[in-house]
Amino acid sequence: MEVRVQNIRKEFGRFPALNDVSLDIRSGELIALLGPSGSGKTTLLRLIAGLETPTEGTVYFGEEDASKKTVQERNIGFVFQHYALFRHMTVLDNVSFGLKVRKASRRPPAAEIRARALELLELVQLGGLEKRYPAQLSGGQRQRVALARAMAVEPNVLLLDEPFGALDAQVRKELRRWLREIHDRTGHTTVFVTHDQDEALELADRVVVMSKGKIEQIGTPDEIYDQPNSPFVFGFIGESNIIPVRVGNGQLWIGDRSIGVSASGEADGLAHLYFRPHDVELLDDSDGSIAGTVAVSRRVAGTRHVELDIGISDCRVEIELPPEMAAADGSRLAFRPTRWRLFREGAAG
């Protein structure tokens, strides 16, 4: 089912939670709504579900205006962060619930409901646990039951609100891989909300980065990470360094020192240089580089992270080095960014 959000505005009192948001979600796509707290991502999910009504704008399911339809009429599957399972019901009854409470005209026979629930429990790798109660399951197992219950009604759209937020890091990682496999096998149009960039980049076909009630950028995980279109996206996705520079004569300068980065075609003036810690090459400490004194050096998994004091107030730079490379405090290193973006003075933040 294709979902289209068109010029949506949502106000709570006078507070605009969403401001003129438009988004096309393709049928069978797995979309991540990613952003910090207060960015509007959960509000957008709830508007798609029908749990909120837009102040302005329209939500389409296919070619049909769904804005005035209830959650039930939209046939939504919803998975919450805290499972929302019925504690007094068995796993089988929890998964069957959505089908059992349908109107008689749309309710499948009892034997068919049971067969479908058992089939879904096998799909989510919980076969044999149908007689247990939620309290007898781990957090990861409960979330699998919640997903099976959401899929039981054969939803037009599957919506997940921070589905792994209550789980520990290792379980989250396992369930991310598992959810992607389930999606590829079932083909549900799926939208999930997260503030975890690793989760979004690993799981989604496309990522929608949100900030302050607006969409900052929509793209594949590669596009979002490698081609961020704004200072916010560059700073929010992955690790980044920001250095104030001056553009002059087709070169980038820090003070009166050229850093050896060509900026041909850029107008002269002040700007901010953005780059990732791993997108650097080490150089001799000479003109045509950024040089600094090692302030902190620490081993992080397969790399060494080094913070450099480059002589600019409130501006330390972090770069990644091979783990075996010595970088004693107080020693001097010089480097040059190999991939970077330039944003004009006043655009950063």
Side-chain angles (χ1 to χ4, degrees):
M1 171 70 71
E2 181 185 7
V3 177
R4 192 154 42 94
V5 174
Q6 188 170 301
N7 304 116
I8 286 287
R9 180 176 178 84
K10 177 61 180 179
E11 294 180 355
F12 294 102
R14 291 191 171 184
F15 173 73
L18 291 173
N19 189 7
D20 195 24
V21 168
S22 293
L23 173 65
D24 289 348
I25 302 168
R26 303 162 192 149
S27 182
E29 189 172 30
L30 180 57
I31 283 272
L33 305 180
L34 174 67
S37 297
S39 59
K41 56 190 187 296
T42 294
T43 300
L44 179 54
L45 192 79
R46 291 174 64 84
L47 282 161
I48 293 171
L51 295 169
E52 301 285 354
T53 303
T55 306
E56 294 177 13
T58 313
V59 177
Y60 291 94
F61 278 29
E63 295 302 314
E64 192 174 7
D65 182 352
S67 304
K68 301 292 189 279
K69 289 191 171 186
T70 65
V71 179
Q72 290 74 21
E73 289 169 334
R74 297 185 196 198
N75 194 29
I76 293 293
F78 213 120
V79 180
F80 298 90
Q81 177 176 335
H82 293 289
Y83 324 124
L85 299 178
F86 299 113
R87 288 177 293 176
H88 64 287
M89 290 185 185
T90 65
V91 165
L92 183 66
D93 287 337
N94 264 285
V95 175
S96 305
F97 180 78
L99 294 173
K100 285 182 176 179
V101 298
R102 279 183 172 173
K103 293 179 180 177
S105 60
R106 296 181 58 237
R107 188 189 312 139
E112 188 178 319
I113 291 176
R114 177 181 171 81
R116 174 150 181 77
L118 290 171
E119 178 187 337
L120 282 167
L121 287 173
E122 289 292 338
L123 181 67
V124 300
Q125 301 169 353
L126 292 176
L129 302 184
E130 62 271 10
K131 293 182 180 179
R132 292 195 185 181
Y133 289 86
Q136 297 172 301
L137 303 177
S138 69
Q141 288 173 326
R142 286 180 216 163
Q143 200 57 295
R144 289 173 190 242
V145 174
L147 183 63
R149 185 179 64 182
M151 292 192 297
V153 298
E154 298 181 324
N156 289 326
V157 184
L158 188 59
L159 304 176
L160 302 97
D161 188 7
E162 299 273 7
F164 309 136
L167 304 172
D168 65 54
Q170 187 57 41
V171 175
R172 287 179 75 135
K173 196 165 186 179
E174 290 171 5
L175 287 186
R176 287 206 297 256
R177 191 181 309 117
W178 166 81
L179 179 59
R180 182 71 232 194
E181 290 172 0
I182 292 286
H183 174 268
D184 290 343
R185 288 171 65 180
T186 61
H188 288 298
T189 302
T190 303
V191 185
F192 76 99
V193 160
T194 183
H195 65 270
D196 184 326
Q197 54 180 277
D198 290 340
E199 199 162 274
L201 295 174
E202 183 179 333
L203 261 176
D205 297 317
R206 286 191 301 155
V207 178
V208 180
V209 183
M210 299 186 67
S211 174
K212 298 178 181 177
K214 293 186 176 182
I215 293 175
E216 289 273 344
Q217 186 172 355
I218 305 170
T220 66
D222 284 346
E223 289 167 347
I224 294 293
Y225 189 86
D226 293 331
Q227 301 161 39
N229 66 358
S230 71
F232 172 82
V233 177
F234 211 128
F236 185 69
I237 303 293
E239 301 295 324
S240 61
N241 292 297
I242 310 168
I243 299 178
V245 296
R246 177 174 56 84
V247 183
N249 300 320
Q251 294 286 318
L252 298 186
W253 302 75
I254 296 178
D256 59 358
R257 176 184 175 126
S258 168
I259 66 172
V261 173
S262 172
S264 56
E266 290 281 351
D268 289 357
L270 299 179
H272 285 92
L273 177 69
Y274 282 65
F275 61 94
R276 309 282 188 202
H278 53 81
D279 287 332
V280 300
E281 59 176 340
L282 294 179
L283 301 166
D284 294 329
D285 187 357
S286 61
D287 229 16
S289 67
I290 301 172
T293 304
V294 175
V296 178
S297 175
R298 62 187 185 278
R299 177 69 181 264
V300 180
T303 63
R304 184 170 300 282
H305 288 214
V306 176
E307 288 184 23
L308 296 176
D309 183 347
I310 61 171
I312 299 176
S313 179
D314 299 322
C315 182
R316 274 192 181 179
V317 170
E318 182 171 303
I319 63 174
E320 291 184 14
L321 304 177
E324 67 277 3
M325 185 171 177
D329 290 0
S331 61
R332 198 160 172 83
L333 288 175
F335 70 93
R336 181 186 301 147
T338 54
R339 295 179 64 174
W340 49 273
R341 281 292 306 271
L342 207 60
F343 294 105
R344 284 292 160 177
E345 182 78 3

